[in-house]
């Protein structure tokens, strides 16, 4: 089939790659390449650490998505053979270090232990650690932490590196990538159109406008830091060996180490009136992070990025054909899990195009917030 993918965030890019791999003719149309939420995201592949009470239907998708990313990482060397320099999974941003989730005080740790019960029920392995054990694994953690859990299977990918890699592979495979805005899906060619335009979807005319997608922006401020080599002890390569998430008096914060001494600090989750970066949000992130990792005061702040996540009322994505017009497949609303769910979204969207008999879970139907459907 000829498939046009509208949007080139990580969802659109991976969907285009999967479709192209399956032999479809693919074109991508987008105002930019990975400039929205993908540009901000830390890229934690965290099906366990991001489990929240009351989000049962999401857990299964998150776990499937983590397996999809493992499969994608394993395919990177073969996929990148079309490039001048074939790449390893690490070159494309994948890292398999475990994730530590630290509690700042005893109430925070009690919350982590309660959550561990849910995480285990959802099939994840979670080890409970004392503060001393956590500091043995990550010696840069502050002396004031109260305890932690370790989640071996929660990994990370650098979304910018992955998007860059996939964009390059698409180009080398001859996938058309047109940089322009789309006003109306009906004006596009294609046997199928995948609408992966994030929060931009409702602003584009087309049959999906009959649906209430109920999307809303959930803004996130993310800081990028650089660790000066001089502050590392002899033999150390970084301040952290893996992702450290923390709960600091009930507030979540995360620190994701990158190759080349980068450190990503995130993220606020705001629905206030500020269009740009929140000074209070940045202050809170730095203060909370400094309680967990005191040496953060000695790092260089190299970038502050604010982007909107495409949120939905039930925190589940919107994936599926528009009822009555299956030419258009909606794929947006990935909220706080866009990077994790991207490989899953790509596979399931390609399954839809291929008419695969395995139905999508009803919980992600894009028409579920539309009144007539209720
Ligand atoms: N998944 C991390 C975030 O949304 O901040």
């Amino acid at each position: 089939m000829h498939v046009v993918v509208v949007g080139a965030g990580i969802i659109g890019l991976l969907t285009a790659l999967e479709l192209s791999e399956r032999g479809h003719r693919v074109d991508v149309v987008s105002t930019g390449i990975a400039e929205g939420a993908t540009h901000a995201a830390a890229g934690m592949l965290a099906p366990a650490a991001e489990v929240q009470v009351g989000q049962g239907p999401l857990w299964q998708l998150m776990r499937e998505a983590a397996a999809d990313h493992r499969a994608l990482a394993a395919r990177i060397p073969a996929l990148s053979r079309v490039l001048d320099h074939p790449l390893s999974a690490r070159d494309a941003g994948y890292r398999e270090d475990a994730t530590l989730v630290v509690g700042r005080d005893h109430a925070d740790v009690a919350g982590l232990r309660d959550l561990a019960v849910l995480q285990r029920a959802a099939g994840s392995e979670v080890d409970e650690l004392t503060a001393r054990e956590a500091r043995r694994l990550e010696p840069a953690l502050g002396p004031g932490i109260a305890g932690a859990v370790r989640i071996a299977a929660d990994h990370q990918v650098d979304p910018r590196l992955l998007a860059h890699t996939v964009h390059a592979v698409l180009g080398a495979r001859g996938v058309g990538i047109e940089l322009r805005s789309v006003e109306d899906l009906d004006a596009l060619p294609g046997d199928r159109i995948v609408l992966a335009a994030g929060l931009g979807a409702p602003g584009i005319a087309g049959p999906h406008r009959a649906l209430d997608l109920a999307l809303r922006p959930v803004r996130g401020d993310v800081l990028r830091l650089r660790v000066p080599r001089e502050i590392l002890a002899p033999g150390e390569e970084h301040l952290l060996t893996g992702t450290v998430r923390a709960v600091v008096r009930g507030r979540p914060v995360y620190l994701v180490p990158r190759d080349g001494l980068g450190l990503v600090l995130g993220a606020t989750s705001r629905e206030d009136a500020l269009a740009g970066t929140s000074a209070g949000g940045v202050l809170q992130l730095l203060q909370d992070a400094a309680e967990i990792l005191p040496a953060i005061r000695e790092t260089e702040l190299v970038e502050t990025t604010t982007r909107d996540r495409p949120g939905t009322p039930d925190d589940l994505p919107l994936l599926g054909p528009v009822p009555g017009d299956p030419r258009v497949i909606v794929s947006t609303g990935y909220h706080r899990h866009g990077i994790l769910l991207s490989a899953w979204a790509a596979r399931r969207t390609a399954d839809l195009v291929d008419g695969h008999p395995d139905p999508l879970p009803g919980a992600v139907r894009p028409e579920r917030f539309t009144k007539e459907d209720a």
Side-chain angles (χ1 to χ4, degrees):
M1 286 204 206
H2 178 207
V3 186
V4 178
V5 177
V6 178
I10 198 68
I11 302 286
L13 290 170
L14 282 180
T15 300
L17 180 65
E18 182 69 25
L19 288 163
S20 169
E21 277 269 288
R22 294 195 194 185
H24 298 287
R25 182 181 143 215
V26 184
D27 286 298
V28 178
V29 190
S30 178
T31 49
I33 307 295
E35 289 181 343
T38 303
H39 187 66
M44 291 169 295
L45 303 176
E50 296 206 344
V51 156
Q52 285 183 29
V53 178
Q55 290 190 333
L58 186 57
W59 302 346
Q60 178 62 21
L61 308 191
M62 289 161 69
R63 284 166 50 75
E64 283 182 33
D68 285 319
H69 269 289
R70 281 194 292 279
L72 176 61
R75 283 160 62 203
I76 293 288
L79 285 168
S80 63
R81 250 184 240 132
V82 289
L83 305 177
D84 292 342
H85 306 286
L87 303 173
S88 66
R90 184 94 177 198
D91 294 330
Y94 282 101
R95 285 179 55 161
E96 293 193 334
D97 326 294
T99 291
L100 272 191
V101 192
V102 172
R104 172 64 183 87
D105 65 22
H106 290 289
D108 294 326
V109 173
L112 293 180
R113 305 266 189 266
D114 288 347
L115 201 57
V117 175
L118 286 182
Q119 290 161 335
R120 289 190 187 110
S124 300
E125 272 184 40
V126 183
D127 302 317
E128 298 182 11
L129 305 181
T130 63
R132 183 187 291 241
E133 287 167 334
R135 295 188 70 226
R136 206 171 290 140
L137 292 175
E138 294 287 4
L141 291 176
I145 64 169
V149 298
R150 180 177 185 273
I151 305 174
D154 275 9
H155 300 151
Q156 64 138 311
V157 64
D158 179 336
R160 293 181 182 180
L161 266 184
L162 182 62
H164 177 79
T165 304
V166 176
H167 181 218
V169 169
L170 290 174
R173 293 175 71 101
V175 169
I177 300 178
E178 206 181 330
L179 291 181
R180 67 171 174 90
S181 59
V182 172
E183 313 295 328
D184 188 346
L185 298 187
D186 288 334
L188 292 176
D191 305 303
R192 294 283 184 276
I193 294 169
V194 179
L195 181 57
L199 284 165
I204 300 173
H208 63 289
R209 288 258 283 255
L211 306 179
D212 178 5
L213 297 179
L215 287 167
R216 71 182 199 287
V218 181
R219 202 148 292 153
D221 306 298
V222 180
L223 308 182
R224 282 176 165 76
L225 310 162
R226 199 188 65 79
V227 178
R229 190 166 287 285
E230 302 72 52
I231 70 170
L232 299 177
E236 275 183 348
E237 288 299 317
H238 208 302
L239 271 184
L240 295 177
T241 63
T243 297
V244 170
R245 310 176 68 110
V247 184
V248 181
R249 288 177 285 282
R251 284 183 305 274
V253 64
Y254 47 79
L255 290 146
V256 183
R258 287 277 152 72
D259 290 348
L261 291 172
L263 193 59
V264 182
L265 166 59
T268 58
S269 218
R270 298 189 287 114
E271 301 193 45
D272 55 26
L274 286 179
T277 302
S278 158
V282 170
L283 179 67
Q284 194 74 71
L285 285 176
L286 285 167
Q287 279 177 339
D288 289 347
E291 290 201 39
I292 300 303
L293 187 71
I296 205 149
R297 293 188 178 84
E298 298 169 59
T299 63
E300 181 185 350
L301 175 58
V302 290
E303 188 189 310
T304 306
T305 307
T306 299
R307 291 290 189 278
D308 292 334
R309 310 172 182 87
T312 61
D314 54 11
D315 298 341
L316 281 156
L318 299 153
L319 178 60
V322 173
D325 197 339
R327 190 173 88 105
V328 174
I329 296 171
V330 174
S331 179
T332 180
Y334 293 91
H335 197 203
R336 303 201 63 176
H337 308 292
I339 306 303
L340 172 61
L341 293 180
S342 58
W344 174 87
R347 174 173 60 85
R348 297 311 309 254
T349 305
D351 285 350
L352 279 174
V353 170
D354 287 342
H356 195 285
D358 189 11
L360 275 167
V364 303
R365 288 179 319 142
E367 66 270 33
R368 67 187 183 277
F369 301 115
T370 306
K371 288 227 165 40
E372 292 75 15
D373 179 60

